[in-house]
């Protein structure tokens, strides 16, 4: 996975004027914590916390913010682990698939997941506040729950390849691959997942993310500074 | 017992005299501390004194150790192998005990009427307590050289040279070896020899850190080996370079060096001059294991499908391929040949791609494909040479080869 936006409380913002050879490295023994998991085959935004930032990581976890993924799939094959590197189980035709059919399936998925969302949020749907929250789109489960997809749409379809954008909560990347497999089954064909990329994790987006070539002290400090405000605002809004 | 009490006083006086003399710094084998020991060694002869003996000798050892441990160790020799030396003072004193029974007989009967001695368990006044200097003994066994550095001149001088002792002690028996050597007698010769061969002064420290065992080698053997290399027509500067980059080289006997040079000549089929050139550029080949090299050659020939002449060319250009990991070789070749579609003869022309990171190749190739500029065939227009693909830094690559900005490249990388 590519580098992610890092956030932490303690970072010296004064530039290092004295050379490392005299004072030694500025930061030794940093405690680094990881945010939501990203498995080996996936890529995208991966949030890390440094030092005091680890506490903020826990708070962010308790906010239960949605994550957005770009999931790429391929019709016509089915494998044992739902990805394109697994053992081939079957091959099928896919010429009958149209965009309309795909969007119908996606709507069904979104509907069932919405019901699950409301159920796990433990809100009494008959109250006025519940209605208002639902209108604003602020309902979400604030505790443990199975994976829930809050929004799913098709970005492009060029048979046999297709690309989806999925907003979800409490998911694992393998769950997303399974969704792709199930979409294939629903369309009376089969599908494997070629790419899972996280483009957003709560308040952190791909634009905040640091590339491998940017994994140095200055960039990390800048990234922390840029994200500090966003994180604080989100935490205040959700946790109060 | 009265007899014991009276004899002990002699020791007490001697101890105070020694203290007053301020623990003169003299080797353990001579001087007043030994005399102090001699003074009450005869007590060992008296049978009823046996239980007192160990205590007295221990006290003697304390005195001698206390007086012989200055930091600028003129006696590093005596401390260099504490395991074997510490029992010897006891033996020394016992030997002296046996040799001087007659002298002491008079001293024995002289002090019958002296004041009673002090025992170790007797309480002494505060000033006396403060005056007793009890240096901590050197540990008989230790797993780090840190404990001995202060007392050993050899180790101190090595640290000054730049040897990293924490690395050395991790090797098998190297720490023990360093402790047993004497700087003036052994190490100095070898250091001068190394300087003669051509190792730079500032390189001596790192050299010894990697290869401390050379200090135990015989000087003639080392000179024979250098003479052998010279006879094979390696120049002086070349020998210096080889020795600096492969510190274990001079530990190999002449036959072994000969075997290895022969092996490379036969396996690779290169001329003598080319083999020498290869070995000068990568002297690690001579000191490393030969099995992995053979296996790598097999991989190149059988799995990757290179012709023998092509392998010769590749190895001559990039000898590192012989020591590269096979898995990495296979993966890089697989990507280059099957996915990028580069034929064997192009890879033979640019073998440096095998040394670069696979990820770098992948990223740049994918970017070029995205832009539609992935053209590696020299016969066609807008051809991109492989060595430029891997060796240029990112900015130059983006502007010259990909004709795009580096921000575009970064944005593209974020979509991978």
């Amino acid at each position: 996975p590519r580098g992610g936006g890092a956030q932490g409380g303690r970072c010296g913002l004064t530039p290092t004027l004295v050379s490392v050879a005299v004072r030694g490295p500025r930061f030794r023994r940093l405690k680094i914590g990881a945010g939501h998991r990203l498995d080996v085959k996936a890529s995208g935004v991966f949030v890390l916390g440094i030092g005091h930032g680890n506490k903020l990581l826990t708070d962010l976890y308790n906010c239960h913010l949605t994550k957005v993924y770009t999931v790429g799939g391929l019709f016509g094959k089915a494998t044992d682990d739902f990805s394109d590197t697994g053992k081939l189980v079957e091959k099928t035709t896919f010429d009958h698939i149209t965009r309309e059919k795909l969007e119908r399936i996606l709507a069904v998925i979104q509907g069932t997941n919405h019901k699950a969302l409301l159920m796990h949020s433990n809100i009494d749907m008959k109250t006025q506040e519940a209605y208002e929250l639902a209108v604003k789109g602020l309902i979400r489960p604030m505790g443990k729950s199975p994976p829930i997809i809050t929004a799913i749409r098709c970005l492009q379809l060029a048979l046999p390849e297709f690309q989806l954008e999925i907003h979800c909560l409490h998911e694992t990347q393998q769950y997303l691959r399974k969704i792709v497999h199930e979409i294939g089954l629903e369309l009376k064909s089969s599908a494997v997942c070629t790419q899972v990329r996280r483009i957003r994790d709560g308040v952190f987006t791909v634009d905040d993310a640091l590339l491998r070539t940017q994994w140095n002290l200055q960039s990390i400090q800048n990234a922390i500074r840029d994200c500090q405000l966003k994180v604080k605002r989100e935490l205040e809004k959700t946790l109060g | 017992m009265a007899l014991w009490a009276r004899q002990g006083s002699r020791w007490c006086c001697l101890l105070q005299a020694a203290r007053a003399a301020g623990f003169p710094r003299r080797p353990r084998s001579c001087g007043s501390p030994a005399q102090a020991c001699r003074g009450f060694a005869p007590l060992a002869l008296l049978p009823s004194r046996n239980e007192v003996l160990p205590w007295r000798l221990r006290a003697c050892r304390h005195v001698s150790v206390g007086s012989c441990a200055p930091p600028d160790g003129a006696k590093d020799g005596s401390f260099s192998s504490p395991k074997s030396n510490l029992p010897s003072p006891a033996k020394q004193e016992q030997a002296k005990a046996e040799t001087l029974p007659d002298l002491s007989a008079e001293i024995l009967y002289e002090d019958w009427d002296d004041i009673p001695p002090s025992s170790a368990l007797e309480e002494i006044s505060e000033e006396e307590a403060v005056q007793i200097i009890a240096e901590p003994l050197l540990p008989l066994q230790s797993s780090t050289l840190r404990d001995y550095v202060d007392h050993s001149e050899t180790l101190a001088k090595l640290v000054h040279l730049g040897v990293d002792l924490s690395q050395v002690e991790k090797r098998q028996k190297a720490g023990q070896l360093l402790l047993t050597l004497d700087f003036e007698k052994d190490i100095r010769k070898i250091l001068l020899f190394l300087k003669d061969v051509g190792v730079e002064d500032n390189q001596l420290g790192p050299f010894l850190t990697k290869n401390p065992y050379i200090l135990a080698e015989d000087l003639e053997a080392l000179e024979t080996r250098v003479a052998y290399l010279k006879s094979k027509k390696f120049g002086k500067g070349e020998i210096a370079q080889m020795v600096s980059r492969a510190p274990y080289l001079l530990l190999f006997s002449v036959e072994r060096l000969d075997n290895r040079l022969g092996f490379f000549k036969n396996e690779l089929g290169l001329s003598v001059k080319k083999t020498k050139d290869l070995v000068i550029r990568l002297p690690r080949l001579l000191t490393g294991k030969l099995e992995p090299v053979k296996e790598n050659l097999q991989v190149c020939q059988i799995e990757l499908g290179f012709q023998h002449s092509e392998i010769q060319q590749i190895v001559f250009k990039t000898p590192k391929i012989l020591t590269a990991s096979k898995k990495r070789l296979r993966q890089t070749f697989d990507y280059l040949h099957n996915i990028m579609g580069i034929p064997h003869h192009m890879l033979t022309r640019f073998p440096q791609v095998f040394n670069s990171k696979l990820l770098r190749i992948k990223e740049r190739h994918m970017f070029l494909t995205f832009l539609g500029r992935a053209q590696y065939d020299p016969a066609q227009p807008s051809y991109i040479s492989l060595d430029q693909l891997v060796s240029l830094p990112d900015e130059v690559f983006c502007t010259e080869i990909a004709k795009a900005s580096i921000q575009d490249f970064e944005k593209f990388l974020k979509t991978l």
Side-chain angles (χ1 to χ4, degrees):
Chain A
R2 287 290 119 87
Q7 57 147 8
R10 206 190 336 222
C11 67
L13 296 181
T14 55
T16 8
L17 295 170
V18 187
S19 72
V20 173
V22 174
R23 278 231 235 110
R26 259 187 88 192
F27 294 103
R28 296 174 236 232
R29 302 230 192 128
L30 294 171
K31 283 208 170 74
I32 300 188
H36 294 111
R37 268 181 225 141
L38 200 61
D39 67 10
V40 180
K41 287 187 270 202
S43 62
V45 177
F46 185 48
V47 181
L48 298 165
I50 303 181
H52 291 297
N54 288 308
K55 292 194 210 118
L56 292 170
L57 270 182
T58 337
D59 294 336
L60 273 180
Y61 180 77
N62 293 330
C63 284
H64 301 281
L65 299 167
T66 59
K67 297 183 262 298
V68 182
Y69 287 82
T70 312
V71 177
L74 194 70
F75 285 120
K77 282 204 303 183
T79 57
D80 56 352
D81 66 352
F82 314 133
S83 80
D84 56 347
T85 52
K87 207 172 86 161
L88 192 62
V89 169
E90 67 168 335
K91 277 187 142 166
T92 56
T93 59
F94 48 82
D95 315 315
H96 55 274
I97 300 177
T98 65
R99 191 164 182 131
E100 204 185 65
K101 289 190 193 164
L102 182 62
E103 303 219 334
R104 214 181 304 156
I105 302 288
L106 296 181
V108 167
I109 292 179
Q110 194 158 336
T112 41
N113 273 280
H114 190 69
K115 284 208 195 86
L117 177 74
L118 295 175
M119 193 175 73
H120 287 279
S121 308
N122 290 329
I123 294 186
D124 190 4
M125 280 319 292
K126 301 196 184 85
T127 60
Q128 180 63 16
E129 307 142 19
Y131 173 72
E132 277 167 19
L133 282 175
V135 158
K136 282 193 231 152
L138 289 175
I139 296 190
R140 54 184 193 270
M142 294 306 281
K144 270 194 176 314
S145 83
I148 296 181
I149 295 180
T150 53
I152 181 168
R153 68 190 178 108
C154 174
L155 290 174
Q156 49 174 318
L157 175 66
L159 286 174
E161 291 172 4
F162 64 97
Q163 215 180 39
L164 305 171
E165 187 186 276
I166 306 183
H167 299 236
C168 44
L169 279 172
H170 306 153
E171 80 302 341
T172 61
Q173 283 83 42
Q174 194 61 12
Y175 179 77
L176 295 173
R177 292 191 189 102
K178 194 156 155 251
I179 294 283
V180 167
H181 173 85
E182 283 171 10
I183 290 175
L185 291 177
E186 289 287 321
L187 287 168
K188 301 189 182 48
S189 174
S190 56
V192 288
C193 175
T194 50
Q195 189 199 44
V196 175
R197 220 175 105 243
R198 187 149 70 197
I199 54 179
R200 195 190 159 106
D201 183 347
V203 285
F204 301 98
T205 62
V206 166
D207 300 322
D208 307 322
L210 296 171
L211 281 175
R212 196 178 294 253
T213 45
Q214 294 165 327
W215 290 355
N216 52 49
L217 184 64
Q218 200 54 42
S219 319
I220 294 177
Q221 283 180 335
N222 293 341
I224 294 176
R225 204 183 340 182
D226 296 335
C227 295
Q228 245 172 1
L229 196 58
K230 284 204 280 191
V231 168
K232 214 167 83 159
R233 234 185 292 140
E234 186 61 44
L235 284 178
E236 278 169 16
K237 202 167 74 164
T238 315
L239 299 178
Chain B
M1 296 180 58
L3 188 60
W4 165 77
R6 301 238 170 108
Q7 291 324 300
S9 68
R10 177 85 186 142
W11 166 79
C12 180
C13 300
L14 281 171
L15 187 61
Q16 282 168 347
R19 258 190 247 143
F23 290 111
R25 293 164 173 192
R26 273 186 235 153
R28 210 192 276 138
S29 48
C30 66
S32 47
Q35 282 168 355
C37 299
R38 232 180 284 144
F40 46 89
L43 292 172
L45 297 178
L46 303 168
S48 53
R49 301 290 172 265
N50 279 346
E51 70 276 10
V52 180
L53 174 62
W55 163 63
R56 289 280 164 76
L57 282 178
R58 231 178 292 127
C60 164
R61 210 185 298 155
H62 263 287
V63 166
S64 52
V65 166
S67 63
C68 299
D72 57 54
K75 39 199 81 52
D76 59 307
S78 51
F79 277 93
S80 56
S81 50
K83 288 185 206 159
S84 48
N85 275 5
L86 277 173
S88 63
K91 290 198 205 98
Q92 255 181 338
E93 269 71 56
Q94 279 214 297
K96 293 207 172 60
E98 266 99 73
T99 48
L100 314 158
D102 46 337
L103 265 180
S104 46
E106 289 141 6
I107 310 172
L108 208 67
Y109 298 109
E110 250 183 286
D111 310 302
W112 278 113
D113 304 310
D114 277 341
I115 48 171
S118 53
S119 89
L121 300 171
E122 201 181 271
E123 285 165 27
I124 48 176
S125 66
E126 284 301 307
E127 302 103 38
E128 282 186 27
V130 162
Q131 276 172 16
I132 295 180
I133 303 171
E135 296 244 354
L137 278 179
L138 283 181
L140 292 177
Q141 267 188 332
S142 162
S143 57
T144 78
L145 287 173
R146 224 182 302 150
D147 301 330
Y148 303 113
V149 153
D150 293 330
H151 298 281
S152 165
E153 190 199 318
T154 318
L155 291 179
K157 284 209 175 149
L158 285 175
V159 170
H160 275 311
L161 266 182
V163 178
D164 186 353
L165 288 179
S166 63
Q167 299 286 332
V168 169
E169 69 193 11
K170 285 183 192 157
R171 292 173 189 268
Q172 273 184 347
K173 299 183 190 153
Q176 181 67 20
L177 177 72
L178 285 187
L179 285 172
T180 48
L181 291 174
D182 179 52
F183 195 84
E184 291 302 319
K185 281 190 286 184
D186 309 312
I187 302 183
R188 191 175 277 278
K189 294 189 294 188
I190 308 226
L191 288 179
L192 288 172
F193 166 76
L194 284 175
K195 283 189 69 168
D196 227 4
V197 165
V199 179
E200 303 275 325
D201 288 348
N202 57 357
Q203 291 294 318
L204 283 174
F207 185 94
L208 288 176
T209 312
K210 283 190 221 150
N211 182 14
Y213 306 106
I214 201 171
L215 297 172
E217 286 288 308
D218 190 23
L219 196 59
E220 277 103 58
L222 290 175
E223 286 180 358
T224 326
R225 290 162 200 167
V226 174
Y228 166 76
L229 286 175
K230 286 208 179 110
S231 75
K232 288 277 174 182
K233 312 251 185 5
F234 284 100
K236 191 164 186 300
E238 293 163 347
I239 298 182
Q241 200 191 0
M242 280 165 68
V243 168
S244 308
R245 287 169 59 183
Y248 278 95
L249 190 66
L250 290 176
L251 286 186
F252 284 74
S253 69
V254 174
E255 294 92 54
R256 231 174 147 190
L257 280 175
D258 203 29
N259 278 345
R260 287 184 175 224
L261 281 172
F263 167 81
F264 282 104
K265 190 161 155 317
N266 296 337
E267 282 290 321
L268 298 174
L270 295 171
S271 71
V272 173
K273 187 170 177 305
K274 282 197 172 178
T275 318
K276 274 184 6 192
D277 199 34
L278 195 77
V279 162
I280 293 169
R281 276 155 56 201
L282 193 65
R284 262 198 345 240
L285 286 174
L286 287 180
T287 54
K289 296 195 182 136
L290 293 179
E291 280 307 316
V293 172
K294 270 197 221 153
E295 285 166 10
N296 275 22
L297 283 172
Q298 293 292 330
V299 163
C300 284
Q301 202 173 358
I302 298 174
E303 288 183 45
L304 306 189
F306 283 105
Q307 304 280 344
H308 194 64
S309 56
E310 291 176 332
I311 296 183
Q312 281 182 341
Q313 278 186 40
I314 293 176
V315 166
F316 189 67
K317 270 200 182 154
T318 51
K320 258 186 157 178
I321 214 174
L322 291 174
T323 45
S325 108
K326 289 177 262 298
K327 189 169 128 188
R328 206 187 70 158
L329 257 185
R330 278 186 213 121
Q331 278 177 341
T332 316
F333 177 79
D334 179 49
Y335 192 80
L336 285 168
H337 188 60
N338 298 331
I339 300 181
M340 284 168 76
I342 299 176
H344 281 95
H345 61 91
M346 289 299 295
L347 289 175
T348 317
R349 270 173 70 183
F350 301 110
Q352 51 269 62
V353 293
F354 285 113
N355 278 343
S356 67
K357 284 201 274 215
L358 182 60
L359 189 67
R360 200 166 193 202
I361 302 176
K362 270 191 189 163
E363 287 175 354
R364 290 184 172 189
H365 171 71
M366 281 200 244
F367 188 50
L368 289 173
T369 328
F370 178 71
L371 292 174
R373 303 182 73 89
Q375 177 56 265
Y376 306 112
D377 188 359
Q380 312 234 349
S382 71
Y383 151 72
I384 296 176
S385 83
L386 287 176
D387 65 331
Q388 280 186 325
L389 180 74
V390 298
S391 57
L392 290 177
D394 277 339
E395 297 86 23
V396 183
F397 171 76
C398 288
T399 43
E400 304 276 314
I401 311 285
K403 314 256 196 288
S405 72
I406 194 158
Q407 285 83 17
D408 292 339
F409 187 45
E410 285 179 5
K411 276 200 209 137
F412 175 74
L413 287 180
K414 287 189 181 180
T415 65
L416 286 180

